[in-house]
Structures are given as C-alpha cells and as structure tokens.
Amino acid sequence: MTKLSKMLQGNKINKIVNVVRNNSKVSKEQPSWMKQSEEIALEKNLANTPPSSAKTQRILNNLPPKNMIQKRFISTSSSSRLYSSGNPSTMQQRGLNKGVSLSSSLVQHSSLDRRSAFLTRNELKNAKRVVIKLGSAVVTRADGQGLALGRLAAIIEQVAEIQNSGADCIMVTSGAVAFGKQRLSQELLMSMSMRETLSSMDRTSELKNIAQNDLKRPNAAVGQSGLMALYGAMFRNYGILVGQVLVTRQDFINDDTREQLFNTIRELMALNIIPIINTNDAVSPPPQETSMQGTLNITDNDSLASRVAVDINADLAILMSDVDGIYDRPPKADGAQLLHYFNHKNIDDIQFGEKSNYGTGGMESKVKSAGFALDHGCNVIICNGLKNNTIRNIMAGETIGTMFSPLEIKGTSVEVLAKNARSGSRKLSSLAPEDRAEIIRHLATSLLSNEFEIMEANKKDLDAAKARGVTGPMFDRLALSRAKLESLCTGLMQIADSSYDNVGKVVRRTKISDTLEVVQKTVPIGVLMVIFESRPDALPQVASLAIASANGLLMKGGKEAINSNKILMRIVNEALGRYGCSDAISLVSGRDEVADLLKLDQYIDLIIPRGSNEMVRQIKERSKSIPVLGHADGICHTYLDEFCDVDKALKIVVDAKTDYPAACNAMETLLVHESLLTNGVFHLVCDDLKKAKVDIFSGPRLSEHLTFGPPKAEKMSFEYGALACTIEIVSNMEEAIDHIHKYGSGHTDVIVTEDKDIAEEFIASVDSACVFHNTSSRFADGFRLGLGAEVGISTGRIHARGPVGVEGLLTTKWELRGDNDTAAEYARGEKQFVHKQLPLE
C-alpha cells in the first residue's frame, strides 16, 4: 500500500469527514430548498449526442432506468421558472419515463433547447444542474502548502446535499499543484541520503524551494491522483461516486476530443457520478490568450467552468474564490461597493484590481467568463468560498456574492442607501432648527399642492387592490382622501412647530470641579429603518419625525401602496433637497433588500416595524444585531366597573371596537363587572355591539352564567383585528387587573368608572404602555396625544414606551469642558470634585 493510500485511510481525513457528517443535515433534515425540489416531480435529462461506442451503447441499454438506480430527477425547465426572453412553451419537458434506458435519455436530451437564465436569487432553488468551481484559494491552506481539509469537507457536504436532492453536480477544481507541493516536498526530504542528512549543510530549505517553485508539472502529476483519492473518500461518506476528467485547452479546440469529453461527462451524470474536472497541469502549456470567434478561450478554471456549464446546459455556475463578489472598484479602495446583482453589459462601470495571490485567474477573467455563461442562459454567482455554508445559502436564495442576471438593475444598493442615510443624518444635525422646521412645513404644504398626482397614484393602488379582492379595513387603510391629506398636513405642522428644541436640548448640566463642567444634550439616534405595510399616509409622518429629530431614515412600504409611496417619497426628497439633504431619507422596495438591511448593523441603529403581528414578529426574529422597537400584539382591554356610567360605557366600548377594528389600539377584550349582568348594562352593551355588526365570543366565566350565550372564545389572549371581541366577567377591579396582566400584551388598557379612587388605583396598578380612564383605547396614538405623529407604538421597557414621537427618536451625548485637567490630579487630591447640579440654561 502506498504512503498516499495510508494517508487517505488515516485518522486525519476520517476524523474531519466524520465530524462534518455528524453535524450534517443530509441524513437528518433536508434544507427547505431541497424539499421544494423534491416536490417538483420532474426527471433529469442529459444533453447533446449519445455515446458513439457500440460497446458503451450496449452497456447503457442493459442498465436499468436511472430512476431505478436511485430516486433522482431529470433536469427540466420548471413551471415556476421565469423567462427573460423567448417563448417558455418551446422549452419542452423531456422526462425519463419508466423502462426507458439511459442511452435513450441521452438521445432525447441531445436536442434540448437553451433555456433563459434565472432573473432573481429566489429562483435558484429550481436549478437542476449546477457547476461548482473551487478556486485555488478555496482548496489550499493559507500558506499554500497543502489542502484546507476542513473547508473541503464542509463544501463536499453541501455539494452532496444538492446531488442527493435530485440535481446534477459537476465540480471544476484546483488544488492539484498545492497538494503535489506538499507531497513532493516530503518525498524529496525523505530521499536525502544518510550522508546528506548528517552533513553540516542544511539543504531542507533548498529542497523545499525546488519542490515548490521548479517542479510544477511533477507537482501536478503527484497532486492529481492524491486530490482525486481525497474527493473519492469524502464523497463516499454520502454514498456518491466521483469520476476524474482531466482536460487541456486543446481538448476544447479539437472538435473530436471536445465531443468525446462531453460525452464522457454526460455518461457520468447519467450514472449518478459527479464529474470532477481539472486542467491537466502535468502536460498543459502555459495559458495563452488567443482569439476564437464566438466562444470562450480556456485560460483558467473560471473560463473552464463557464465553458463546461454552457456545453452541458447547466442552470447555475458557482465560482468560488477568496473574494466576496464583484465590487464597483478594487475592494480595498475607499468607497468600494459590493454589487449583489450584475449584468456584464455594464462592465465599463467597474474598475478591476489585482488578481488573487493564488491560481491563474483574476476578477476580470471571472467577469468575462461569467458573462459568456449568462449570454448562453446559465446564471453565475461569484462568491467567497472561504465562508461557511456558501453553497447552501446560495441555493436557499440568500444574498451571497454577486449574481450575474439578465436584469438591467439600476439604482443604488441598500448598503449605499444606508451609508447615505448616515451621512444625511449628520447633515440634518448641522442644520439650524429653523431649517429643519422649514423642510417639514414645505413637505406639509406640498401634500395639498400635489393632491391631484397623489390621488391619481393612489387610485392605481386601489384599483389593483380591488382586482386582488382586497376589502374592509385593509382597503380603508390603503385609501387616501382630501380629508386624510389635510389631517396629515395639520399633524406635520404640529411636528414642525415643536421641533426647535429637539436636537441639542440640554437635559443635565453638572459642575464637576472648579475647572470642569459636563453637559448632557439630546442627539439623534442615527439611522432608523421603519417598515410599514399598506398605509401610505405613514410615509410623510415618519419622514417628518425623522427630519425633526435629525435622523437618517430608510423606509420600506407595503407593495400594496407602491404607486402612492413613490409620489410621496418624491415630495419628501424635494423638500430635503432644498437644503442638500435628499439622501438622508430613502425608500427601499423588495424583501431581499429588507433582508440585506437587517444585516447592516454598522449603519442602521434602530428598526421600527409597523404592521401586522406576523410582520413585527418576523422582523424581531430576523434582526440579530439591530434593536427592534415595536410590539407584536395589540390585545387591548376595556374594563366596565360596577360604578360606570351607562351612556359613557356604551359610547366608549363601541368606539374602541368599531372606529378602526384592524388597529393595534382597538379593543379586543371587554371585561364586565359581574354586577352589570343583573342591572341591564351588560345586555345594552351587547346589543350595541351587535348593531355595529361585532361578533361576540364569551370567556369561560361568562359561558357558565349564560345558557344560550355567545360562542366560547378559543383563547383569551387573542387579537382579532376585525369586528369581533371577547367578553368576560370579573368579580372586582383586582381580578380585572390580574386578567389584563395574564392575557394582555401591555399595549393599552381602559377603565370606565365614576369612582375616581378606583380609577387612580387601576391606572397605577396596570403595567401597560398606555392606561386610560373613561376614554376609548383608540386614543393610544401619537397624533391624538399631541405628538404630531408617531413612528409606532412600543410595548417594550427599554428606551421608549407607548406612542413613539420625536423624543423616542433621540438619545444623548455628554460634553465635558475643562482646563488642563487630568484624572491623576483628582486621585492625588490636588483638585477636588464638586458635583453640583447647575441650571439647564
């Protein structure tokens, strides 16, 4: 047995493979994108010409159908796939039916039409044939001496997931030379004679230098066999066979050898074997750039992977190296921005830097190769293979690396928008308070002067909503009117009038010593990200609060109001542009952009979601490092005390439930003192709610008292968000408070009573953001409480609670002014602390 075989069977590789496999999801739980691919019951095809050899033909004819070898699928154009051009109906499905031999499937697939490339990352889960290129920097260790075994094992696990999910995988790999350097250096050192070993002259460095720099072809020859043995051992743990395909540039120039090459690759795929393709550096001449009309010259593994992807009709090629993707300029240059999507037609818009220290390719070569593949219907993603779970995350549709897409994506990336918002916040802070107030006033008056355009855009959103069948509260929230615009204008004017003392307000002034004085002042939080759903009127409200507090702002509006939001955002930008701050506030659109923004904790300081419970909960779960201000539930209670006024009770209860049932401050549970069941108040309240078409559900105690009462509520902690509520009876105020603390969400709770002592006790005892006496819960609103507007309502206990206006968007900083003061002087007693509170002015 050779030393290499012993090494491959040794503990080192087995330990790595076992560790990775123990943590693997391949044999336990499949990723969501893999499960979806299995639900698409489509079989895989193979491309181009059948094997010419009669012997091969006989063998393939005698093999069982591929779906008998393993439950696999034939690559086909998925019905969920989008086409950027051409007629999808011409992309015929060619499945491998039962009883059809593999050779027949090869014949069928030889005429497969070229399909259009995917448009977005969400479609990548439909890829059924994937080429994965591993660059030298990915395969080798940082010192270039040998392979990065742990990284390779993790990558192979992810490739195995794709292969075992039913897709075809083809690997194009580097690393043979690096592996050969390691092995050949060891062999040269071991081959030294005893005399050379005992000699006073140390030749170790000389021999290593020879092995690593002067023996490229022997290194490749030695490394190729070792690399394949390594891949074979690792893939075998997942029940997958691999086959080595060594190629040279000449194999692609000669028609006969190119035909045989791709016949071999197709036959390997038909047999469920992963082809592992590598350039035969042991015999290949140095890469030369020559011109071949209409094709891509093979100069490195990037061009090799792209040529292979095109010729085997792959859906996706993943080019993995040591770079995160394509930047608009060299990555180390100031202001360099990673491009998440790229169309190679815009290649003149980017600047290339130096190529990697490993391998033979560079970024310019990658872009050229990826562009060739995209032109032939294959998407390419250039990404960093040094990071964890790169392939798995790409197939799940996450924003990894740069995706080559036929889309003409214009505009600014979300990272740039976030950076602009940061700098815009500083510009707003530098403005005089009068200037910020004037921006808000201009925005307020522009809402009325642009009424026609706003209403026209809103009509488009309303028409689209009607076509989707949207009705009720959701439709009402989407609709704008002259009355709503006038109300907006009034609220914005209030914000402007009260904005002069927001930023730079002194909240504490302390004399530290005779020479030291510290001042605590209000300052903006920095950059806010506010996410709201179908309410377009929220956009100018939130923008005005951000301007008043000098915060940068990123907003994500609901797709239902896309046209309304665009015109309103234009008006906001025009108002800001008068003072050179138009980039302080931006509007983002897609879900992918929101996912990217949630990762930008270096730019975004606070996220405020406004909308449904599900949306708020999702944002809280997905934001790992950026604080989220908001509430997930709005379970508001109204308690009718035994001493309540009947007329007030009826009026308040009906308003709290019916004024806006979908709002978070609408009443969801009505608590009734048990004495009201016998004096007629309970029945009057129920009658008025029924007249307002409110569905009533009873709590456990109420159900016991009523034989033929309302249906029983499924649970007491429930937000209906519609014309429905739960009614429960309680024995006293203390029981009502206990019920609120047990089932409420800490949003808004109300008592209706004429006994002021009971009311004050209720207000002091209920631990909610808003606690009211003899008024509707619908007053839990920034505008109604005199804040002008609100960015949202918070039920949390840190920073801000209840309706969040301008004050909730501010923090403080400390300014210390001294005269040649050092801490050591105070420690030695040479100077004395005074710590005296001074007037704020």
Side-chain angles (χ1 to χ4, degrees):
M1 182 181 290
T2 65
K3 295 176 183 175
L4 181 60
S5 298
K6 291 179 180 178
M7 181 191 74
L8 291 175
Q9 293 179 7
N11 291 331
K12 187 173 183 181
I13 293 177
N14 288 335
K15 284 181 180 178
I16 293 172
V17 172
N18 288 334
V19 168
V20 173
R21 195 179 185 196
N22 288 339
N23 295 318
S24 170
K25 295 183 180 179
V26 173
S27 59
K28 300 174 184 177
E29 182 181 356
Q30 293 177 320
S32 59
W33 64 267
M34 190 186 304
K35 292 178 181 177
Q36 184 168 350
S37 67
E38 290 184 350
E39 292 172 0
I40 304 173
L42 301 174
E43 296 182 331
K44 295 191 300 182
N45 288 327
L46 301 167
N48 295 338
T49 59
S52 57
S53 166
K55 182 177 179 181
T56 303
Q57 185 75 31
R58 287 195 300 272
I59 292 173
L60 292 177
N61 281 334
N62 291 328
L63 283 173
K66 187 172 181 181
N67 56 3
M68 296 293 291
I69 297 175
Q70 188 174 359
K71 290 183 179 180
R72 304 284 310 282
F73 304 114
I74 293 296
S75 179
T76 186
S77 52
S78 171
S79 60
S80 63
R81 184 163 182 172
L82 299 177
Y83 294 87
S84 59
S85 62
N87 185 358
S89 64
T90 64
M91 313 302 180
Q92 298 179 4
Q93 177 177 325
R94 297 180 176 87
L96 181 62
N97 299 318
K98 284 188 176 181
V100 179
S101 67
L102 292 176
S103 61
S104 298
S105 74
L106 290 169
V107 173
Q108 288 178 357
H109 197 64
S110 64
S111 60
L112 185 66
D113 294 328
R114 166 59 56 191
R115 295 167 295 178
S116 300
F118 295 127
L119 299 181
T120 64
R121 295 176 185 272
N122 291 333
E123 301 171 73
L124 296 180
K125 59 181 175 288
N126 297 323
K128 304 303 295 179
R129 183 162 294 160
V130 183
V131 174
I132 298 113
K133 173 258 176 178
L134 305 183
S136 300
V138 177
V139 176
T140 60
R141 299 199 312 242
D143 59 6
Q145 308 302 311
L147 303 180
L149 295 177
R151 189 185 306 135
L152 268 180
I155 290 173
I156 286 169
E157 177 195 351
Q158 296 170 71
V159 175
E161 286 181 357
I162 300 175
Q163 183 79 6
N164 286 334
S165 74
D168 282 324
C169 287
I170 303 92
M171 291 181 62
V172 176
T173 180
S174 303
V177 173
F179 200 3
K181 284 181 181 180
Q182 182 187 38
R183 299 299 300 136
L184 204 54
S185 296
Q186 296 171 357
E187 292 297 330
L188 286 177
L189 291 175
M190 294 175 63
S191 67
M192 292 172 60
S193 65
M194 181 65 70
R195 178 176 297 178
E196 290 172 319
T197 304
L198 298 176
S199 171
S200 60
M201 182 181 297
D202 185 4
R203 300 189 59 201
T204 302
S205 299
E206 178 186 356
L207 290 173
K208 282 186 177 180
N209 185 62
I210 293 173
Q212 294 171 13
N213 299 314
D214 299 335
L215 299 175
K216 179 180 179 181
R217 283 187 290 274
N219 282 334
V222 171
Q224 282 165 0
S225 59
L227 185 63
M228 279 306 301
L230 175 64
Y231 279 132
M234 288 185 169
F235 273 111
R236 199 174 299 121
N237 284 275
Y238 304 103
I240 296 173
L241 293 178
V242 297
Q244 182 181 27
V245 181
L246 287 175
V247 299
T248 66
R249 183 173 175 274
Q250 299 301 317
D251 294 330
F252 290 85
I253 297 176
N254 184 283
D255 292 339
D256 293 332
T257 56
R258 185 175 66 252
E259 180 181 358
Q260 293 304 317
L261 167 64
F262 286 103
N263 280 343
T264 300
I265 294 173
R266 294 183 194 105
E267 290 168 10
L268 288 172
M269 290 191 296
L271 294 167
N272 192 27
I273 297 172
I274 294 180
I276 297 184
I277 304 170
N278 194 3
T279 53
N280 191 352
D281 294 326
V283 299
S284 292
Q288 298 176 358
E289 184 66 39
T290 59
S291 177
M292 294 181 63
Q293 188 68 28
T295 189
L296 179 67
N297 296 319
I298 307 299
T299 58
D300 51 41
N301 276 347
D302 296 313
S303 53
L304 173 61
S306 295
R307 276 291 298 273
V308 169
V310 169
D311 286 339
I312 66 168
N313 201 28
D315 302 306
L316 174 65
I318 302 175
L319 307 184
M320 304 174 73
S321 63
D322 60 347
V323 296
D324 292 331
I326 298 177
Y327 289 79
D328 59 350
R329 66 197 73 181
K332 295 181 180 179
D334 291 338
Q337 300 297 325
L338 179 65
L339 306 177
H340 297 304
Y341 284 93
F342 184 69
N343 189 321
H344 64 291
K345 295 177 182 178
N346 303 319
I347 193 171
D348 294 336
D349 297 338
I350 61 176
Q351 304 171 17
F352 295 105
E354 297 178 357
K355 76 180 187 68
S356 167
N357 293 328
Y358 305 94
T360 58
M363 184 53 69
E364 193 167 3
S365 171
K366 288 177 174 60
V367 172
K368 181 178 179 181
S369 301
F372 172 81
L374 183 63
D375 285 339
H376 290 79
C378 176
N379 290 100
V380 177
I381 289 185
I382 296 176
C383 60
N384 193 332
L386 307 183
K387 296 185 177 180
N388 294 330
N389 292 326
T390 297
I391 299 174
R392 188 177 289 126
N393 292 336
I394 287 172
M395 300 305 294
E398 294 190 19
T399 304
I400 304 294
T402 300
M403 176 178 174
F404 279 67
S405 168
L407 286 176
E408 287 288 346
I409 298 178
K410 300 293 184 181
T412 312
S413 70
V414 292
E415 185 172 358
V416 173
L417 292 177
K419 285 184 178 180
N420 291 344
R422 174 74 72 192
S423 61
S425 170
R426 292 172 181 144
K427 291 178 184 176
L428 282 172
S429 296
S430 66
L431 293 178
E434 294 78 11
D435 294 336
R436 289 193 294 270
E438 179 56 32
I439 293 174
I440 300 171
R441 290 194 182 94
H442 186 273
L443 171 57
T445 56
S446 295
L447 293 176
L448 299 180
S449 61
N450 289 275
E451 178 186 359
F452 176 78
E453 292 180 74
I454 294 172
M455 299 307 296
E456 192 175 50
N458 186 242
K459 185 179 183 302
K460 294 179 181 178
D461 293 328
L462 294 176
D463 290 344
K466 288 179 181 177
R468 295 192 304 269
V470 176
T471 58
M474 180 67 76
F475 188 86
D476 295 339
R477 294 174 68 183
L478 181 61
L480 292 176
S481 63
R482 174 72 184 187
K484 276 190 177 182
L485 293 180
E486 289 177 348
S487 177
L488 270 174
C489 181
T490 302
L492 267 54
M493 287 297 185
Q494 290 180 5
I495 295 173
D497 293 341
S498 60
S499 67
Y500 294 95
D501 297 328
N502 292 336
V503 180
K505 180 181 179 181
V506 176
V507 296
R508 182 193 299 266
R509 188 188 299 273
T510 305
K511 182 178 181 180
I512 304 300
S513 69
D514 291 338
T515 55
L516 279 176
E517 182 176 307
V518 66
V519 173
Q520 184 184 13
K521 288 183 176 180
T522 57
V523 294
I525 288 177
V527 176
L528 313 174
M529 177 179 171
V530 179
I531 304 170
F532 53 92
E533 293 187 323
S534 59
R535 284 184 54 194
D537 53 328
L539 192 151
Q541 289 178 338
V542 173
S544 297
L545 289 171
I547 296 168
S549 57
N551 280 291
L553 175 64
L554 298 171
M555 291 184 288
K556 165 65 173 70
K559 61 182 179 181
E560 305 87 357
I562 184 171
N563 295 294
S564 304
N565 288 338
K566 282 182 179 179
I567 180 64
L568 292 171
M569 190 64 224
R570 193 198 76 191
I571 295 171
V572 170
N573 283 334
E574 288 175 355
L576 287 166
R578 300 171 74 240
Y579 289 86
C581 300
S582 59
D583 57 353
I585 299 179
S586 297
L587 182 69
V588 298
S589 53
R591 290 185 178 181
D592 289 345
E593 292 183 335
V594 173
D596 293 339
L597 287 167
L598 293 177
K599 303 173 185 176
L600 298 179
D601 57 319
Q602 70 271 41
Y603 303 120
I604 299 174
D605 301 294
L606 182 66
I607 298 173
I608 306 174
R610 298 180 55 171
S612 66
N613 298 344
E614 182 182 359
M615 186 269 280
V616 175
R617 192 175 291 110
Q618 285 181 354
I619 296 298
K620 285 186 173 183
E621 291 174 354
R622 293 167 61 190
S623 179
K624 304 299 182 183
S625 55
I626 306 176
V628 178
L629 181 72
H631 66 281
D633 297 306
I635 303 173
C636 303
H637 294 76
T638 297
Y639 167 53
L640 301 186
D641 183 57
E642 60 179 320
F643 302 110
C644 69
D645 180 275
V646 177
D647 294 333
K648 291 179 182 178
L650 296 175
K651 185 178 178 182
I652 290 170
V653 167
V654 172
D655 180 84
K657 181 69 262 185
T658 64
D659 180 65
Y660 194 174
C664 62
N665 56 11
M667 181 190 75
E668 303 294 354
T669 301
L670 175 62
L671 300 177
V672 179
H673 192 279
E674 59 185 4
S675 64
L676 303 183
L677 266 70
T678 58
N679 64 5
V681 175
F682 170 77
H683 297 287
L684 291 173
V685 171
C686 290
D687 288 343
D688 279 11
L689 287 174
K690 289 178 181 178
K691 289 178 183 177
K693 299 181 180 180
V694 176
D695 294 327
I696 298 174
F697 299 88
S698 61
R701 287 190 61 185
L702 180 60
S703 297
E704 294 174 0
H705 281 74
L706 301 178
T707 305
F708 300 102
K712 191 173 181 180
E714 293 185 5
K715 60 178 183 177
M716 296 302 297
S717 182
F718 187 75
E719 183 176 4
Y720 293 95
L723 285 172
C725 70
T726 299
I727 300 180
E728 180 62 309
I729 60 172
V730 291
S731 301
N732 49 48
M733 181 195 67
E734 289 76 14
E735 191 173 312
I737 293 173
D738 290 341
H739 181 103
I740 290 170
H741 288 162
K742 183 175 182 180
Y743 298 110
S745 61
H747 192 294
T748 301
D749 298 291
V750 177
I751 184 172
V752 181
T753 183
E754 295 303 301
D755 189 316
K756 291 186 177 180
D757 292 336
I758 291 178
E760 291 303 317
E761 186 178 353
F762 181 90
I763 291 174
S765 301
V766 172
D767 188 14
S768 295
C770 300
V771 187
F772 298 161
H773 172 217
N774 280 355
T775 187
S776 169
S777 59
R778 288 282 290 130
F779 277 93
D781 172 83
F783 174 74
R784 293 187 177 102
L785 295 182
L787 303 180
E790 66 183 30
V791 293
I793 294 180
S794 172
T795 55
R797 300 175 183 275
I798 298 176
H799 176 63
R801 198 176 185 201
V804 181
V806 172
E807 290 185 358
L809 304 180
L810 297 169
T811 184
T812 62
K813 74 173 183 179
W814 298 82
E815 299 176 355
L816 180 64
R817 293 171 177 84
D819 183 12
N820 196 30
D821 290 276
T822 63
E825 292 174 307
Y826 291 85
R828 292 193 298 264
E830 297 172 9
K831 290 186 176 182
Q832 303 297 321
F833 289 111
V834 176
H835 290 157
K836 179 182 178 181
Q837 296 300 317
L838 299 175
L840 298 182
E841 297 299 332

